[in-house]
Amino acid sequence: MGTQEQRTCGRPTRAGKPCRVRIYGSDVACGTHATDEDRAVAAAHERGWSEGYEQGCKSGASSAQSEVEWLKRRVKELEQRLDVATRVYEIAGDQVVEVGRYAYRWRGSGRLEVGDRVLLPENYVSRMKDGPGPTVGVVSALGTTYRGELSFIVGRAPVAKADT
C-alpha cells in the first residue's frame, strides 16, 4: 500500500483548537471525539474492506487455479502432439514397442500388440531381481520416443495354463 497518509482527528478541543491525535484505518475521529455514528461508520467500513479483501483473495486464488489447470491441459496436449510427431514404430524393419518403462525391438514373426506377453533379455538388474534368464513383460505401447540403443525381445512368452 506504500506510505499511509498521516491523519489527525481535527475535531475542536475545549480550547477551540483542532485535535492533533493521529487516527488510523477507517476511523474518522479519535476515541475522545468520535460519536456513536462515527464508530458505526468506521466499523461498517472495516467490515466492507475486510469482506472485499477476502473476496478478492478468493477470486485471485480461483483465477490462479483455473490458469494452473489450463496450463496443465495445454502441457499434456503439447506432450501428446510431440509424442505423435517423434514416436518411432519401426527401426530397420524391426517393430519397436514399449514394455513398462523401456523400449525394445521385435523381429520375431507376427506383429506385437498392446497386452502381449513377451520374454525380455536378461540384464544385470533382472538377474539380481528374478534370477538368470529372460523375464516376462507385457507390451504397454506400440512405438517409442526413446532415441538410444534398444535391446531385442527374446520371444513371445508362453501362454499361462489355467489351473484345472
Side-chain angles (χ1 to χ4, degrees), residues 37-154:
E37 184 178 329
D38 292 336
R39 288 185 189 92
V41 167
H45 183 270
E46 276 296 321
R47 269 194 317 277
W49 189 91
S50 294
E51 290 172 8
Y53 182 82
E54 185 178 316
Q55 288 300 317
C57 287
K58 287 179 182 177
S59 176
S62 174
S63 177
Q65 183 63 32
S66 296
E67 180 80 6
V68 166
E69 289 170 7
W70 179 84
L71 287 171
K72 284 180 179 179
R73 285 192 307 271
R74 183 72 174 134
V75 165
K76 187 174 182 176
E77 173 192 328
L78 291 172
E79 285 174 339
Q80 289 171 343
R81 289 170 69 182
L82 180 63
D83 182 85
V84 168
T86 60
R87 186 162 286 272
V88 174
Y89 294 91
E90 269 191 20
I91 296 176
D94 297 337
Q95 183 182 10
V96 178
V97 297
E98 289 180 358
V99 179
R101 299 181 345 201
Y102 300 101
Y104 295 89
R105 292 171 73 165
W106 168 250
R107 60 170 51 150
S109 63
R111 306 292 286 170
L112 293 175
E113 298 296 329
V114 173
D116 287 351
R117 292 167 34 96
V118 293
L119 294 174
L120 303 175
E122 174 186 320
N123 62 43
Y124 68 94
V125 175
S126 68
R127 184 177 186 91
M128 289 187 304
K129 187 176 172 188
D130 302 317
T135 57
V136 175
V138 177
V139 175
S140 57
L142 302 179
T144 187
T145 57
Y146 177 70
R147 293 290 182 251
E149 284 292 314
L150 300 178
S151 297
F152 288 90
I153 293 174
V154 176

